Amino acid sequence: AQSVTQLGSHVSVSEGALVLLRCNYSSSVPPYLFWYVQYPNQGLQLLLKYTSAATLVKGINGFEAEFKKSETSFHLTKPSAHMSDAAEYFCAAIIQGAQKLVFGQGTRLTINP
Amino acid sequence: ETGVTQTPRHLVMGMTNKKSLKCEQHLGHNAMYWYKQSAKKPLELMFVYSLEERVENNSVPSRFSPECPNSSHLFLHLHTLQPEDSALYLCASSPIPGGIYEQYFGPGTRLTVT
């Protein structure tokens, strides 16, 4: 069965520091992968997605993620954290041909001044 | 209005009440979804509709009853809920179900069952 695991339910970094949010997937074939962000009292917003084109994907707000098949990972990074990046981040995966998007448990990112 | 809207944004209901959540998308999409977001749990897909036909029902209790009268509107009818049903209910849409298309989410309805 397909699953998505986000390591660390809570990540805290200083403003200006590197942000690294981890996501690993489990499926028999490489899925399509997504990162969403959720700000307080809002719905989810797409940050970026991998659809089997380039393995390094750039998204909005300076975020990017790299698909690594050998590690079954799709970690999200940003070189320099900003206070406005504080939010909940969700990794999600869907197998080609399937209709169900499977989400990870989410990682709450806190930015320290 | 643009994107995906949901009403009401907040709802408090007793266990014997009947209420409905409404979702509307202005994106011309053909697929719509209901998700439940509880604290400390992953998002749970509840229902998927494609061109007004339900294509996925994730073992959701019958006290939740979805309705999709057209491709722009989705309802979730609620009756005799339990306190554990308190959660954020999110609606989403996409051009078609699944595939490479991202889902666009509404802001959610915060439901509290007393």
Side-chain angles (χ1 to χ4, degrees), chain A residues 32 34 36 38 41-44 46 49 51 90 94 98-101 103-105, chain B residues 9 35 37 42-43 45 55-56 58 88 90 97-100 102-103 105-107:
Chain A
Y32 299 130
F34 304 80
Y36 285 87
Q38 185 178 31
N41 301 314
Q42 294 186 28
L44 279 68
L46 182 73
K49 66 179 180 181
T51 57
F90 294 91
I94 187 166
Q99 296 178 342
K100 181 177 178 179
L101 188 62
F103 284 86
Q105 302 92 322
Chain B
R9 292 294 309 274
Y35 287 90
Q37 186 177 29
L43 271 77
L45 178 65
V55 296
E56 180 99 22
N58 257 18
L88 182 69
L90 292 165
I100 65 171
E102 64 264 32
Q103 295 179 15
F105 285 80

Side-chain angles (χ1 to χ4, degrees), chain B residues 59-112:
Chain B
S59 302
V60 179
S62 59
R63 56 185 183 268
F64 295 91
S65 175
E67 179 190 3
C68 188
N70 55 63
S71 59
S72 298
H73 294 85
L74 185 64
F75 295 88
L76 188 63
H77 304 300
L78 316 171
H79 65 97
T80 58
L81 295 190
Q82 304 299 310
E84 60 264 30
D85 296 323
S86 298
L88 182 69
Y89 288 84
L90 292 165
C91 174
S93 72
S94 64
I96 60 172
I100 65 171
Y101 300 101
E102 64 264 32
Q103 295 179 15
Y104 293 76
F105 285 80
T109 295
R110 175 70 62 185
L111 173 66
T112 302

Side-chain angles (χ1 to χ4, degrees), chain A residues 2 11 15 28 36 43-45 67 73 79 97 99 105 112-113:
Chain A
Q2 182 186 356
V11 171
E15 190 174 17
S28 56
Y36 285 87
L44 279 68
Q45 177 185 2
F67 172 72
S73 68
Q99 296 178 342
Q105 302 92 322
N112 302 314

